[in-house]
Amino acid sequence: MSQSVVITGASAGIGRAAARAFGARGADVTLLARGRAGLAAAAQEVEAAGGRAHVVPTDVADHRAVQAAADEAVDTFGRIDVWVNVGFSSVFAPFTAIEPEEYERVTHVTYLGFVNGTRAALKHMLPRDAGTVVQVGSALGERSIPLQSAYCGAKHAINGFTSSLRTELLHEGSNVRVTVVQMPAVNTPQFSWVLSRMRGRPQPVPPIYQPEVAADAVLYAADHPGRKQYYVGSSTVATLVANKFAAGLLDRYLARTGFDSQQTDESGDNPEHNLWHPVDDATDHGAHGTFDRQSHRRDPQLWASRHPALTAALAAGAVSGAALGLRAARGR
């Protein structure tokens, strides 16, 4: 029996790449996003890969629309096995340059969009006592950076919400699982269509990974949802370690570098942005952004996250070997 998957933010970026990857497994994939052209192209890719696709244009900030989309997915494919929350929006600007309505919109889409998706998924999963919700998180949900306060705040909220929900499911003895995949900088079209008030064009902070790397992690998490979370990208792990042990120093470092590192030298003028209306409604932009040349197609950290015991053993061996070498050097 084919796996039935629902993906929000499926018209571009990580959602688009994940939809294609599930399609290659022969899954039935329901695609949710606002951009009709992007959704149509994503559906074609899913079916070309070997799956079946069903498109439901949806604004994830509207909980009624999300619930209706979930019901339609069940009517079309019989059930929901996996729900992947990806959809988000952002504003690149200092906090004081973001209007209250814009801040609310980012929060409604990026945070409440995940809440709405999770609620819609659970409505169908809990009666069956089966299913998995995968939250596509971010390193910025653990360590905030300048110019993205609305996005960082929403990603932090997703972590808190998901942790609370997980404990409730454990309390109930439910077989429904929820897990988070914490992502690094990814080469998605968001940097071309995000609302920005900066002098330069927005860019992800290197190292940058291709959406397919992120999609691979999403599929693995969907197959192994017992883990609380997965980390993608060595930069994600390095950021979290630095934040844990040297948060104050990291604050000062980001204050010095965080503005320039998120902008290119090109003009930041952007006539179109997707905060209120989709940019890919009439024109498909694909899964990738404009940073292909700088983006990695592989991630050693993803292997490490899949083999935590072996990774810990190798790390312990390396530390032990270094200690023995130091002792030998001192004995000379």
Side-chain angles (χ1 to χ4, degrees):
M1 184 179 294
S2 299
Q3 191 176 42
S4 176
V5 182
V6 179
I7 302 175
T8 73
S11 66
I14 296 173
R16 173 88 165 252
R20 189 167 55 230
F22 275 112
R25 290 182 165 187
D28 298 328
V29 187
T30 301
L31 307 165
L32 276 55
R34 295 176 299 163
R36 295 175 184 272
L39 283 171
Q44 291 177 353
E45 291 179 356
V46 168
E47 293 176 350
R52 292 193 298 170
H54 181 65
V55 167
V56 188
T58 308
D59 184 341
V60 294
D62 182 346
H63 68 90
R64 294 180 183 84
V66 176
Q67 188 60 69
D71 295 342
E72 188 170 329
V74 172
D75 289 342
T76 303
F77 294 130
R79 68 192 186 286
I80 299 173
D81 297 311
V82 178
W83 184 290
V84 184
N85 283 311
V86 187
F88 72 94
S89 63
S90 186
V91 176
F92 271 62
F95 169 70
T96 53
I98 304 174
E99 297 297 329
E101 296 82 5
E102 295 166 349
Y103 219 95
E104 288 179 357
R105 176 62 178 169
V106 173
T107 304
H108 288 163
V109 174
T110 307
Y111 172 50
L112 292 181
F114 277 52
V115 173
N116 295 338
T118 303
R119 180 185 288 109
L122 293 182
K123 175 188 173 184
H124 293 284
M125 292 178 177
L126 290 176
R128 294 176 51 233
D129 196 29
T132 296
V133 177
V134 179
Q135 316 282 39
V136 173
S138 170
L140 303 189
E142 303 275 354
R143 167 68 237 189
S144 295
I145 61 175
L147 305 182
Q148 296 199 57
S149 62
Y151 177 83
C152 291
K155 286 298 186 180
H156 274 75
I158 289 167
N159 286 339
F161 154 68
T162 303
S163 292
S164 182
L165 172 62
R166 184 182 297 107
T167 59
E168 292 172 5
L169 293 172
L170 289 170
H171 173 78
E172 296 296 333
S174 175
N175 287 314
V176 175
R177 299 288 182 262
V178 57
T179 188
V180 184
V181 185
Q182 308 289 15
M183 297 295 183
V186 180
N187 176 33
T188 74
Q190 71 138 325
F191 299 96
S192 298
W193 62 35
V194 67
L195 172 58
S196 174
R197 294 200 171 93
M198 305 309 299
R199 54 171 173 73
R201 178 183 164 205
Q203 69 171 0
V205 179
I208 309 167
Y209 295 86
Q210 293 289 25
E212 287 76 16
V213 174
D216 189 26
V218 168
L219 265 67
Y220 189 84
D223 292 342
H224 304 83
R227 288 264 297 275
K228 177 179 179 178
Q229 58 189 347
Y230 292 88
Y231 296 111
V232 182
S234 57
S235 58
T236 300
V237 175
T239 298
L240 300 185
V241 170
N243 191 55
K244 182 175 180 63
F245 294 104
L249 289 175
L250 191 55
D251 282 346
R252 289 188 282 276
Y253 173 78
L254 289 170
R256 291 197 310 271
T257 67
F259 280 64
D260 290 341
S261 65
Q262 295 186 78
Q263 303 175 69
T264 70
D265 294 331
E266 302 174 40
S267 171
D269 293 340
N270 185 8
E272 285 191 299
H273 63 79
N274 73 339
L275 185 61
W276 304 105
H277 306 287
V279 175
D280 59 345
D281 203 33
T283 303
D284 173 42
H285 292 259
H288 288 207
T290 59
F291 301 94
D292 278 332
R293 290 184 179 180
Q294 301 103 300
S295 299
H296 300 282
R297 297 180 180 276
R298 293 180 178 83
D299 173 31
Q301 169 55 32
L302 185 56
W303 180 91
S305 70
R306 294 177 177 180
H307 305 85
L310 180 57
T311 301
L314 291 173
V319 171
S320 176
L324 289 173
L326 183 59
R327 289 173 188 166
R330 288 175 175 173
R332 290 193 187 103

